[in-house]
Amino acid sequence: MESVMRRIARLALPFLAVLALSLPARADFIKNFAEWEQLGPDGQAAYAMGIYDVMTVVTADNKYTAARALGLRACGMGLKLRGAMVAQAINVFYRDHPEQRVVTPFVAFNSFVERGACSPFINEARKSMGLPDMKAAPTPDQNGQPQDGQQQQ
């Protein structure tokens, strides 16, 4: 019985070592540009697609989020979006708005991708659902909140 346990341990040890080496070095929430930059190109692409994937989940209980998700899906297919492209859009937002480097990549995504490149697709989905066009993205304050009481829809 002990030899069987040793054999299992010998087989499991290399597997666990490979598993530990394959884990991402940084899998937590990215809070600002400095942390975003530390991810490097591959990490940024993966993180950006994670944001995109989360935003394309259709929720039946809210027409606005459903229209956004359907529009983002259409945008992804229409523009043939890839992780590196979405990460580049986030980087362009940070480059063009250096005062906004304190906000999360999610806010950058919302401002540059959702309210920019993908807005025609989202507005088309909104129109098909009887909703008004999406408003322009308000400039976020340092906490990522809309300034001057502006509301996002």
Side-chain angles (χ1 to χ4, degrees):
M1 180 70 166
E2 187 175 322
S3 66
V4 171
M5 293 301 282
R6 283 185 187 175
R7 195 174 333 166
I8 291 173
R10 270 189 274 139
L11 291 174
L13 188 59
F15 174 74
L16 292 174
V18 169
L19 181 63
L21 291 174
S22 68
L23 292 174
R26 187 80 193 261
D28 59 343
F29 183 73
I30 304 301
K31 299 173 195 78
N32 55 41
F33 175 72
E35 292 181 8
W36 168 257
E37 203 171 35
Q38 290 176 358
L39 291 176
D42 291 340
Q44 288 176 356
Y47 197 90
M49 282 313 290
I51 293 172
Y52 177 84
D53 289 345
V54 166
M55 297 297 289
T56 60
V57 174
V58 176
T59 57
D61 63 334
N62 187 310
K63 292 192 297 187
Y64 291 98
T65 58
R68 178 186 61 216
L70 293 171
L72 284 172
R73 286 181 184 179
C75 179
M77 290 186 292
L79 299 180
K80 296 181 171 87
L81 292 180
R82 301 290 182 259
M85 295 167 70
V86 178
Q88 181 181 13
I90 292 170
N91 280 315
V92 168
F93 172 84
Y94 282 131
R95 182 197 70 208
D96 291 351
H97 304 281
E99 73 284 358
Q100 297 299 319
R101 290 182 176 185
V102 296
V103 301
T104 66
F106 176 82
V107 172
F109 172 91
N110 182 272
S111 296
F112 198 85
V113 178
E114 180 182 345
R115 305 254 177 190
C118 291
S119 63
F121 297 92
I122 295 169
N123 281 333
E124 187 61 36
R126 288 172 72 120
K127 182 179 178 181
S128 72
M129 297 174 78
L131 299 171
D133 279 354
M134 180 173 49
K135 297 176 184 174
T139 305
D141 65 14
Q142 291 189 353
N143 297 317
Q145 300 300 313
Q147 291 184 23
D148 304 324
Q150 296 172 334
Q151 294 296 316
Q152 294 184 36
Q153 261 190 324

